[in-house]
Amino acid sequence: MKALIAGAGRLGTQIAQVLAAARSDVTLLDIDEDRVAELKGHLPVRLVAGDACEPAILEDSGVLTADLVIAATGDDEDNLVISLLAKRQFEVPRVAARVNDTENAWLFDRNWGVDTAVPAATPLISLIEEATGATDTVALLRLSKAGVDVIETAITPESRAAGRTLAEITLPAGTVVATVIREGQPTVPTPEVRLQPGDEILVVSHAATEQEIHAAFQ
């Protein structure tokens, strides 16, 4: 799957990390050049600086071949414009948009090119489920096109992984840590990251079960 995400804030980077770990081809676009420069080397995605409300920027970013566009900026007006361009001008199959202000939620419909409107407070797993069209989430999310599962586990004071680094965790074959969410913020999952109680771990796996991931961390 090819995904284009507009907005490299916390939400956009979290989605980009998970989709990239699921072997999707991800482009992350943001108008803030400093933010893009800050993220380079920390995310396994293509990073582009530019205004996603400009058709030429979207085209240069690969929107013509995108299977999914996610408008995840902090501005509802921008998200609506991006969605409308993606759907009407570039005929992107699936468009999801973040709703920052609930009073604007009524605007986020197919008239504006939005297939899925996602409130800003929606949990990350649910947001990815909505954006990608996955429907079989119970305790995990299946990204059917990529053939992988996204599994979440939380670290508690009793977890065997608490206080250990990611390098010390033995994961099942074909499994990678997509992101570690700490106090609501994603952290880059380098081997040196030391897990703490309260951390939420998102892993992507081609074969591991929820029970195997539980055993690795709990």
Side-chain angles (χ1 to χ4, degrees):
M1 180 176 69
K2 295 190 70 172
L4 173 59
I5 303 169
R10 178 177 64 85
L11 184 64
T13 55
Q14 284 181 336
I15 298 171
Q17 283 177 301
V18 172
L19 293 181
R23 298 186 181 179
S24 293
D25 182 348
V26 181
T27 297
L28 184 58
L29 172 62
D30 197 274
I31 195 171
D32 187 340
E33 294 184 1
D34 291 337
R35 175 62 173 166
V36 171
E38 175 189 347
L39 291 173
K40 282 187 175 177
H42 296 289
L43 292 176
V45 303
R46 180 187 177 210
L47 289 157
V48 178
D51 186 352
C53 293
E54 296 290 337
I57 298 296
L58 284 176
E59 190 167 351
D60 289 345
S61 301
V63 71
L64 287 170
T65 56
D67 301 299
L68 167 69
V69 165
I70 301 176
T73 79
D75 187 303
D76 285 343
E77 291 183 4
D78 286 353
N79 289 342
L80 288 170
V81 170
I82 294 163
S83 298
L84 188 63
L85 287 171
K87 181 63 71 175
R88 300 286 181 254
Q89 183 163 338
F90 297 109
E91 300 181 347
V92 175
R94 190 166 187 84
V95 177
R98 175 186 185 180
V99 183
N100 297 282
D101 186 340
T102 55
E103 292 185 1
N104 296 329
W106 65 277
L107 288 166
F108 286 74
D109 60 18
R110 303 217 169 170
N111 292 322
W112 278 92
V114 179
D115 295 308
T116 302
V118 185
T122 301
L124 180 61
I125 284 289
S126 298
L127 188 150
I128 297 171
E129 176 190 25
E130 290 286 347
T132 59
T135 58
D136 56 347
T137 297
V138 181
L140 50 82
L141 168 70
R142 179 75 178 174
L143 297 179
S144 56
K145 287 187 178 180
V148 298
D149 294 321
V150 181
I151 304 173
E152 180 182 26
T153 188
I155 304 301
T156 70
E158 292 75 33
S159 299
R160 62 195 300 256
R164 301 171 66 187
T165 65
L166 287 177
E168 296 174 300
I169 307 298
T170 301
L171 295 175
T175 301
V176 296
V177 175
T179 187
V180 177
I181 302 172
R182 180 170 295 166
E183 297 181 350
Q185 299 291 331
T187 60
V188 178
T190 61
E192 295 78 23
V193 170
R194 191 170 297 278
L195 299 178
Q196 302 174 5
D199 287 350
E200 297 173 67
I201 316 298
L202 293 181
V203 303
V204 175
S205 180
H206 283 270
T209 65
E210 181 186 358
Q211 291 73 25
E212 288 174 316
I213 298 303
H214 179 87
F217 288 93
Q218 306 300 334

